[in-house]
Amino acid sequence: MTTESTSAPNFIRNQVREEIEAGSVDTVVTRFPPEPNGFLHIGHAKSICLNFGIAEQFGGGCNLRFDDTNPAKEEQAYIDAIKADVEWLGFQWAGNVRYASDYFDQLYAWAQHLIREDKAYVDDLSAEEIREYRGTLTEPGRPSPYRDRPVAENLDLLERMRTGEFAEGGKVLRAKIDMASPNINLRDPVLYRIRHASHHQTGDKWKIYPSYDFAHGQSDAIEGVTHSLCTLEFEDHRPLYDWFLENLPVPSRPRQIEFARLNLNYTVTSKRKLKLLVDKGIVDGWDDPRMPTISGMRRRGYTASSIRKFCDMIGVTRAEGGMVDIAMLYHAIRSDLEDNAPRAMCVLKPLKVVLTNVAEDHDEVFEVPGHPARDDMGVRKLPLSREIWIDADDFMEEPPKKFFRLAPGKEVRLRNAYVIRCDEVVKNASGDIEELRCSVDFDTLGKNPEGRKVKGVIHWVSAAHAVPVEVRLYDNLFQVEAPDRDRDVDFLEHLNEQSLSVVQGYGEPSLAEIKPEDRFQFERVGYFCADRHAAAEGKRVFNRTVGLKDTWAKIQKKG
Ligand code: ATP
Ligand code: MG
C-alpha cells in the first residue's frame, strides 16, 4: 500500500522517532481497539491512520484488537464490518485478529493476584451506592463497608460470581486503591461486573466481564504494545492504566498517549447516535451514503486514499474541542476525483431539444477524451442525433443579464460539439415547456462562430443513445454545525429533511456498462459513484459524492 498519505509529522510520531533514536524503544507496536458495537466512522479513520501509519513508518506492527468486554451490545456482524473497513482503508493488521476476550483467563488470574495482594475486593454495594460512596470532584469518597473482606472470602466470592451464582448487579470486583484520591478513577474502580450474557467469542463460559480499564492496558501489555494511543477522554484514566501495570506481573510496559478526537461539523461521530439513525430507519443502514461511517463514505464514492489524505490534513494534536470543517473532507475527495475520475455527461433534469436542421438519420459521433489530462483514460464516443436532452436549468425563457446559457433567440455551445440557437419554445396546453426547437451552426465544431461570441457551454446527451439513470443527490444529514452540542435538544431535531433527493436522468452511452463503485465526473455537475448494491443487481444508480465547487480551497486562498 502507499504510505505517502499517512506520514505527516505529528507530536506522537515525533516522540516515537526520538525514542527509537534514543534506543528506549526497539520495535514499535500499536493497536487499533474498536468495540464491536457498531460500524467504524470517520473518527475511527483518524485513529486507524495514526496507529497503522506509525507502525508502518517505523517498521513495526499494528494489532487489530476487538475490545469485546460488553457482550450485550456486541455482534459478529460488527466485527466483520470493522475488519472489512480497515482492509478497505488500505491497512493490514499484524498477525491474527485479536480480542480482549482472548485474555479473559489471564485477566481473571490477575484479578485473583490483586485480591491476594490485598489490592482488590468484592463489593456488594449496588451501582448507585457505589456512585454515592465515590464522592465528587470536591469531596473525597467513602470506603465501602465490604472493603476489608478477607482475601479468602474475596477469592471465593469472585469464583462464584464467575460461575453465575449471583444476579447481575449483585456484586462487583473493585481495585483497592484510594477512596480519597483527587482522581476519581482511582477511587476503587470496578474491575469485573456480573453479566449473564452470551458472548460472541466465549459463548457462555463467563458470567463476569472485565471493565474497559481492567482489560485495556493489560491486553496492551500481553501483546507487547509499546504505544497505546487513545483519545483525550482517557487522559484521567492514565494513572489507573499505569497502576495496573505496576501492580501486576505483566510481560511488558506499554505507554498510553492521548490525542484529540475528531469532531466534524454537520456530523455526529458517536456509534450510539449512528445506531439510533439506523434503528429508527432514518437512514438506509450503516452504509447509507449520508452516514459518516467508513462503509457509508465508501458507498457515497469516497476513495480510501481520500480518507487517508483527509486524516493527514487534519493532523494529530492534543488541542481539545476543535471542529473540523466538512468542506475539508469534500476537498480531499474532490481533488482525488478531479485527477482520477473519467468524465461523462449526464443530464439530471432533462429538457428535450429538437435540432431542426439535423436530419432524422443523422449519424455523427464525436470522440472526446475520457479525462482532459489523462491520455491513459482513452476516448469516449458521443453520438449526436436530432433530439437531445439538456438540463432544464440551462434554459431560461426570460434570462437575467449574465445568463450565458440557452434562452429564446440566444446561442450556446453544446459541450464537445456545435453551437446551437434556440428558435422556438414549445409549450403544452397548461403552459409548461415541452421542448425547445433549436438550429445547429455546423460551422462551429472546434472553432468559434463567425462574427460573434458564444460564451456559454452546456452539457447534453443524444436522446436516441441516452441511458436512463437514477441519481441520488446527497446532502449533509444535519442542518446545523454541531447537531449534538446542545444537551437539551435531541440531535434528531437537527436532521436535514433534504439530505436525499432522487432524480431520473439521462447519461451518455459510456455510462451504459458500469461496475459497482465506478466513479465519474458528470461534467458541470459533480462527482458520482455507481451505487455498489444497485450496480451489483444490474441497476444504473449513481450516488452524488460531492459537487464541483470547492469551498475549502476558496477558504484557504482567502485565509
Ligand atoms: P464511539 O463514541 O463512536 O462509540 P468509541 O471511542 O467508543 O467511539 P471505540 O470502538 O471504543 O469507539 O474506538 C476505537 C478507537 O477509535 C479508540 O481508540 C478511540 O479512541 C478511537 N476513536 C473513536 N472515535 C474517535 C474520534 N472521533 N476521533 C479519533 N479517534 C476516535
Ligand atoms: Mg468506546
Side-chain angles (χ1 to χ4, degrees), residues 56-269:
E56 210 164 72
Q57 181 181 357
F58 297 105
C62 178
N63 297 345
L64 173 62
R65 182 203 315 145
F66 287 99
D67 169 23
D68 56 346
T69 52
N70 187 3
K73 293 194 169 163
E74 297 164 5
E75 278 175 32
Q76 185 61 40
Y78 295 141
I79 292 177
D80 298 339
I82 289 170
K83 281 162 41 180
D85 285 347
V86 171
E87 285 184 317
W88 178 78
L89 274 176
F91 296 106
Q92 188 56 57
W93 47 88
N96 294 332
V97 170
R98 295 146 212 259
Y99 298 86
S101 57
D102 293 343
Y103 315 129
F104 280 177
D105 285 315
Q106 177 66 78
L107 291 170
Y108 186 77
W110 281 337
Q112 292 172 316
H113 175 92
L114 288 177
I115 292 175
R116 284 191 208 100
E117 302 270 304
D118 195 27
K119 288 172 183 160
Y121 61 98
V122 172
D123 195 347
D124 295 1
L125 293 184
S126 67
E128 194 165 323
E129 287 165 326
I130 289 178
R131 214 172 305 126
E132 243 168 68
Y133 275 70
R134 188 173 286 144
T136 64
L137 284 173
T138 50
E139 270 172 54
R142 284 175 292 141
S144 160
Y146 303 97
R147 199 171 196 262
D148 291 317
R149 273 184 162 142
V151 168
E153 186 182 334
N154 279 320
L155 287 173
D156 174 60
L157 287 172
L158 180 64
E159 177 63 14
R160 287 159 61 196
M161 281 166 64
R162 185 180 76 77
T163 53
E165 204 175 310
F166 307 114
E168 287 194 12
K171 293 187 189 329
V172 291
L173 182 74
R174 299 176 72 178
K176 192 188 281 193
I177 306 181
D178 179 3
M179 287 307 291
S181 171
N183 184 336
I184 293 185
N185 292 298
L186 295 178
R187 294 183 190 169
D188 292 8
V190 170
L191 309 186
Y192 272 98
R193 292 183 187 86
I194 298 171
R195 290 263 182 287
H196 292 261
S198 214
H199 188 284
H200 48 95
Q201 301 301 315
T202 58
D204 294 318
K205 179 173 174 190
W206 297 88
K207 303 295 178 205
I208 55 173
Y209 289 94
S211 61
Y212 170 90
D213 284 319
F214 189 57
H216 203 87
Q218 281 68 271
S219 302
D220 287 341
I222 292 169
E223 293 177 5
V225 167
T226 51
H227 298 80
S228 181
L229 313 178
C230 62
T231 40
L232 276 168
E233 66 271 23
F234 291 101
E235 186 175 15
D236 292 342
H237 294 239
R238 189 176 354 123
L240 180 56
Y241 182 97
D242 290 334
W243 187 89
F244 288 127
L245 298 179
E246 277 152 24
N247 287 281
L248 289 170
V250 290
S252 80
R253 274 305 298 266
R255 207 145 47 84
Q256 174 179 309
I257 304 172
E258 309 86 18
F259 63 95
R261 58 191 301 129
L262 167 66
N263 298 308
L264 195 60
N265 63 6
Y266 300 100
T267 307
V268 297
T269 45

Side-chain angles (χ1 to χ4, degrees), residues 32-35 41 43-44 46-47 231 259 261-262 269-271:
F32 173 63
E35 186 180 351
H41 53 62
H44 294 110
K46 174 177 180 174
S47 176
T231 40
F259 63 95
R261 58 191 301 129
L262 167 66
T269 45
S270 144
K271 277 180 285 182

Side-chain angles (χ1 to χ4, degrees), residues 380-450:
R380 40 193 246 262
K381 293 192 156 86
L382 287 180
L384 178 75
S385 58
R386 184 177 161 86
E387 293 189 351
I388 62 172
W389 297 109
I390 68 165
D391 197 288
D393 290 340
D394 284 332
F395 173 79
M396 277 185 98
E397 214 173 353
E398 289 164 31
K401 249 209 173 112
K402 296 243 158 158
F403 188 79
F404 296 119
R405 290 166 273 164
L406 201 55
K410 291 274 178 356
E411 287 180 300
V412 79
R413 179 177 292 280
L414 298 181
R415 189 166 177 81
N416 295 308
Y418 301 110
V419 168
I420 62 170
R421 187 182 58 229
C422 177
D423 304 314
E424 193 187 342
V425 181
V426 180
K427 295 184 179 175
N428 64 14
S430 42
D432 304 323
I433 299 175
E434 264 190 341
E435 62 180 42
L436 306 178
R437 299 179 78 80
C438 299
S439 46
V440 172
D441 181 346
F442 285 102
D443 197 21
T444 53
L445 194 60
K447 60 178 187 181
N448 288 326
E450 293 289 330

Side-chain angles (χ1 to χ4, degrees), residues 275-293:
K275 184 166 190 299
L276 205 65
L277 295 171
V278 174
D279 291 346
K280 283 183 171 282
I282 292 167
V283 295
D284 167 30
W286 284 95
D287 72 344
D288 183 299
R290 289 166 293 180
M291 291 282 270
T293 51

